[in-house]
């Protein structure tokens, strides 16, 4: 079973870059079959897909965030990372990493990390 | 973006009740529809994928149906542990979207 654990600073200053890492165990992120994903939940709100990266490095981002977001793989550490540039208070949220199965076609997010709260404040 | 609209936004039901949550897509999405259950402080959990296939370990009281634009999640006999928020999610578009959520409270 795939397990995911998010890590990173819980507090980021406005205009700076938010950086999070997701450590994966139970499978190799370079073995294929998954899109490695980031999803967030603003306080009291629903889930928002941020983007994902395929094991070959192809990335797909939410159009509303694509100018500020970057997702990358580190296969040597079996982890993937998220960067959100020029953050504002609107980026305050719980950030989840998740595995998104390539097959079946519905591509569900089948395993999730516990989530990490990131607050943007000076 | 494909908009996903769930109804109701919240509901309260008793143990043993049959509960139905609907999800409507702003355009046809075939069968590329998944459902999740999210309890406060926990990671969301996949319940159903591809409209009606139960994820491994999910109790059989959960079921899903629908196609095109209208989908339904049904809990046949509500259990105390079913409280929380349920989300639908479409993967038809390369820009993935979730419904706004349906909060379920146990009376």
């Amino acid at each position: 079973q795939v397990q995911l654990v998010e890590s990173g600073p819980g507090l980021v200053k406005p205009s700076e870059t938010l950086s999070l890492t997701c450590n994966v165990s139970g499978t190799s992120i370079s073995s294929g079959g998954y899109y490695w994903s980031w999803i967030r939940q603003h306080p009291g709100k629903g889930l928002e897909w941020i983007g994902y990266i395929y094991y070959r490095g192809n990335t797909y981002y939410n159009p509303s965030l694509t100018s500020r977001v970057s997702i990358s793989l580190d296969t040597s550490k079996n982890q993937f990372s998220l960067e959100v540039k020029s953050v504002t208070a609107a980026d305050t949220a719980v950030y989840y990493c998740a595995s998104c199965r390539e097959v079946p076609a519905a591509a569900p997010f089948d395993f999730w990390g516990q989530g990490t709260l990131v607050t943007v404040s000076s | 973006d494909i908009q996903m609209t769930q109804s109701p936004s919240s509901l309260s039901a008793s143990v043993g009740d049959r509960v139905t949550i609907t999800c409507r897509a702003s355009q046809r999405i075939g069968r590329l529809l998944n459902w999740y259950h999210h309890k406060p402080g926990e990671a969301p959990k996949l319940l159903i994928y591809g409209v009606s296939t139960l994820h491994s370990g999910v109790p059989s009281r959960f079921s899903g149906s629908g196609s095109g634009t209208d989908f339904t999640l049904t809990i046949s006999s509500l259990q105390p542990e079913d409280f929380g928020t349920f989300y639908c999610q479409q993967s038809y578009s390369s820009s993935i979207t979730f419904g706004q959520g349906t909060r379920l409270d146990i009376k």
Side-chain angles (χ1 to χ4, degrees):
Chain A
Q1 170 157 315
V2 177
Q3 293 184 314
L4 305 102
V5 179
E6 304 91 349
S7 61
L11 181 64
V12 181
K13 290 182 169 56
S15 80
E16 295 190 345
T17 297
L18 178 162
S19 297
L20 296 174
T21 296
C22 182
N23 192 68
V24 179
S25 58
T27 190
S28 168
I29 63 172
S30 58
S31 63
Y34 282 99
Y35 293 86
W36 302 103
S37 314
W38 289 97
I39 295 157
R40 68 183 182 181
Q41 182 177 33
H42 295 102
K45 302 295 185 182
L47 300 170
E48 179 184 36
W49 174 71
I50 298 171
Y52 50 37
I53 186 166
Y54 193 46
Y55 77 103
R56 290 177 178 168
N58 315 60
T59 51
Y60 306 82
Y61 300 127
N62 187 320
S64 69
L65 296 169
T66 190
S67 64
R68 298 194 297 124
V69 165
S70 176
I71 298 175
S72 59
L73 293 172
D74 186 338
T75 55
S76 67
K77 296 180 179 178
N78 212 44
Q79 59 189 28
F80 61 104
S81 298
L82 169 71
E83 286 194 342
V84 182
K85 301 175 184 176
S86 304
V87 297
T88 69
D91 294 304
T92 294
V94 175
Y95 286 76
Y96 296 96
C97 59
S99 56
C100 176
R101 285 165 51 187
E102 185 178 11
V103 176
F109 298 101
D110 55 351
F111 297 105
W112 298 61
Q114 283 294 109
T116 186
L117 173 63
V118 179
T119 301
V120 178
S121 175
S122 55
Chain B
D1 280 4
I2 298 175
Q3 306 301 318
M4 307 298 291
T5 304
Q6 292 180 228
S7 60
S9 295
S10 64
L11 75 152
S12 183
S14 300
V15 172
D17 283 354
R18 182 181 181 89
V19 172
T20 297
I21 298 169
T22 63
C23 176
R24 174 165 288 177
S26 61
Q27 68 181 70
R28 296 179 69 85
I29 59 171
R31 295 184 63 83
L32 303 185
L33 188 284
N34 307 311
W35 289 97
Y36 303 86
H37 183 205
H38 191 196
K39 293 182 180 179
E42 298 185 7
K45 292 181 180 175
L46 174 65
L47 290 175
I48 289 171
Y49 62 91
V51 174
S52 58
T53 303
L54 257 59
H55 184 51
S56 175
V58 174
S60 59
R61 65 180 179 273
F62 291 95
S63 64
S65 63
S67 65
T69 60
D70 294 315
F71 304 89
T72 299
L73 172 69
T74 299
I75 308 172
S76 60
S77 178
L78 192 66
Q79 298 301 301
E81 61 268 29
D82 296 337
F83 76 92
T85 303
F86 293 85
Y87 294 95
C88 61
Q89 170 248 320
Q90 65 79 20
S91 52
Y92 181 88
S93 164
S94 60
S95 179
I96 292 168
T97 48
F98 291 86
Q100 83 279 13
T102 294
R103 194 175 87 174
L104 173 59
D105 295 321
I106 309 295
K107 285 181 182 175

